Amino acid sequence: MDHSINTKCVQAGYAPGNGEPRQVPIYQSTTFKYETSEEMGKLFDLEASGYFYTRLQNPTNDIVAAKIAELEGGTAAMLTSSGQAANFFALFNICECGSHIVASSSIYGGTFNLISVTMAKMGIDVTFVSPDATDEELDAAFQDNTRAMFGETIANPALTVLDIERFAAAAHRHDVPLIIDNTFPTPINCRPIEWGADIVTHSTTKYMDGHGVAVGGAIVDSGNFDWMAHADKYPGLTTPDDSYHGVTYAERFGKEGAFITKATAQMMRDLGCIQSPQNAFYLNLGLESLHVRMPRHVENGQAVAEFLEAHPSVASVSYPGLKGDKYHDRAVKYLGGTGGCGVVSFELKGGREAAEKVMKKLKVFAIETHVADARSCCLNPATSTHRQMTDEQLAAAGIPAGLIRISCGLEDKADLIADLKQALED
């Protein structure tokens, strides 16, 4: 029986048996005992399922990952220590020195830096394209060595809405998977796999956790991309892995499980960016109310965006739920006509100086290097999360230096508007 996404938030991934804990247990153990070395050997050979060391897999983590896979409509998933780790694993799992990535230019600054600087040091090149690129411009960005395409459903903090179908079609024309970071809308407001995405990532630190408690990330595989059909592009998945008993992941686990199995057996083994079982437990508590919280975040975001749009001191407002927003049509298509989240970006007529003045006067909105949880907060990206980017890069990403990003929490929307109103007074 297939349940609604609301029920999946509460119960997916874990079905306790008779007399077993109703709540997901925390398996706070680094290791697991076996009666014989032969039994453990089967685990190392990937011939049996089970656990032997938490750096690779842990029962608590797998339960929560399974829930996220169900929410996104995927076939397999894994947790990571952060959203950055999730994006790195998702890309590096299919890229190597000499590979090339096509990515939207409108993405989180940390991810932009990961791809353009850190991965470049590994010999992986990137071509950034506008989220509004035409089919012809997208096609021109691909090279013979392109191995992945990347974008964000709702970009942080520019709030551009990606045309997922267009990007997916371009990726598939060139026989590579589309990887989408779906952190801001969550699967409650958008499920990219339904629009053609092949791999979905999350910073679970944000709305999925929802309370600013635990840093984490997740990767979900749609199970749709046929790695063996493009074997020459993805030897790591389609030829024997000499570092893991010669297993060929795509043959042993099929297109439904190959990607996550390789990311676990190879990436997590070597890089160790595991999410702790305690953090996975906290994450699951957040997921249980995700379907209840997201509509409130959207309601507050919409109300605040409409207030700011009408205020004389505000030069511009970015929120896809506004009818006049550049990305409203995409919001109707991909986000059900809503803004998709509680994050609103706006620019004041006074620029950076005015932004700093307003932020100092805010009382309900706290200045934090965070976003997307129960408590409202604000940030000037150019001097914080995106400070590593040049003015030219900021402009290309749609992030003016005086931009304020606010994240509307679960407070009363009237109090949020009142706080902004007093801060905007001269």
Side-chain angles (χ1 to χ4, degrees), residues 84-154:
Q84 279 291 84
N87 283 332
F88 175 64
F89 273 32
L91 289 165
F92 199 54
N93 201 35
I94 52 177
C95 293
E96 59 187 12
C97 182
S99 296
H100 174 257
I101 297 167
V102 176
S104 169
S105 61
S106 187
I107 55 176
Y108 169 57
T111 310
F112 187 98
N113 194 71
L114 167 68
I115 298 172
S116 64
V117 178
T118 302
M119 295 187 75
K121 293 177 181 178
M122 300 175 177
I124 300 170
D125 294 328
V126 61
T127 298
F128 288 103
V129 294
S130 167
D132 306 320
T134 63
D135 289 343
E136 292 75 19
E137 289 169 333
L138 292 178
D139 286 335
F142 286 84
Q143 302 174 8
D144 291 341
N145 59 339
T146 303
R147 296 295 179 263
M149 192 177 204
F150 180 86
E152 295 178 1
T153 309
I154 303 176

Side-chain angles (χ1 to χ4, degrees), residues 28-61:
Q28 194 64 48
S29 180
T30 60
T31 55
F32 301 84
K33 173 186 175 293
Y34 287 88
E35 297 294 336
T36 68
S37 57
E38 287 80 9
E39 290 179 279
M40 184 175 287
K42 290 179 180 179
L43 300 176
F44 277 92
D45 290 341
L46 301 178
E47 293 177 354
S49 60
Y51 305 92
F52 53 86
Y53 196 56
T54 283
R55 188 179 78 230
L56 276 82
Q57 286 181 285
N58 176 282
T60 306
N61 292 29

Side-chain angles (χ1 to χ4, degrees), residues 63 107 151 228 266 318 343 347 405:
I63 288 168
I107 55 176
M228 290 303 295
Q266 191 183 87
S318 295
V343 181
E347 186 180 8
R405 181 193 69 185

Side-chain angles (χ1 to χ4, degrees), residues 191-413:
R191 287 175 288 282
I193 290 171
E194 295 177 0
W195 300 102
D198 299 289
I199 308 292
V200 175
T201 62
H202 284 275
S203 170
T204 62
T205 316
K206 309 305 189 297
Y207 286 120
M208 282 189 166
D209 171 303
H211 299 85
V213 174
V215 175
I219 308 171
V220 181
D221 184 8
S222 70
N224 293 329
F225 193 83
D226 192 342
W227 306 105
M228 290 303 295
H230 312 293
D232 59 323
K233 289 178 179 287
Y234 305 103
L237 284 160
T238 62
T239 61
D241 180 2
D242 292 335
S243 76
Y244 214 103
H245 315 295
V247 64
T248 299
Y249 299 101
E251 288 182 351
R252 175 80 66 85
F253 302 99
K255 64 182 183 180
E256 295 81 10
F259 185 89
I260 294 298
T261 303
K262 178 179 181 293
T264 301
Q266 191 183 87
M267 296 290 101
M268 193 64 79
R269 175 199 66 195
D270 294 346
L271 300 172
C273 302
I274 190 69
Q275 185 169 147
S276 75
Q278 185 75 52
N279 279 12
F281 176 83
Y282 292 140
L283 170 57
N284 187 60
L285 293 181
L287 290 171
E288 288 179 351
S289 64
L290 184 63
H291 61 298
V292 180
R293 292 184 287 106
M294 287 308 296
R296 180 61 174 264
H297 285 295
V298 170
E299 177 187 347
N300 284 355
Q302 185 72 31
V304 164
E306 290 175 359
F307 164 76
L308 291 169
E309 187 179 42
H311 199 282
S313 298
V314 176
S316 63
V317 180
S318 295
Y319 189 71
L322 295 173
K323 291 184 178 179
D325 189 88
K326 179 179 179 180
Y327 297 100
H328 184 67
D329 288 345
R330 291 185 193 170
V332 170
K333 178 177 180 177
Y334 295 114
L335 307 172
T338 73
C341 63
V343 181
V344 181
S345 292
F346 67 99
E347 186 180 8
L348 294 173
K349 292 179 180 178
R352 187 190 296 252
E353 185 176 334
E356 292 178 355
K357 180 180 177 182
V358 166
M359 288 174 64
K360 288 179 181 178
K361 295 174 67 177
L362 289 168
K363 296 178 173 61
V364 179
F365 289 90
I367 299 175
E368 298 178 18
T369 309
H370 199 234
V371 68
D373 69 22
R375 300 166 188 82
S376 293
C377 57
C378 64
L379 199 70
N380 174 233
T383 57
S384 54
T385 56
H386 290 63
R387 67 181 301 126
Q388 76 278 10
M389 297 172 68
T390 65
D391 285 348
E392 291 76 15
Q393 290 173 331
L394 286 169
I399 309 169
L403 188 79
I404 297 177
R405 181 193 69 185
I406 58 176
S407 177
C408 300
L410 300 178
E411 303 92 347
D412 192 293
K413 60 187 175 185

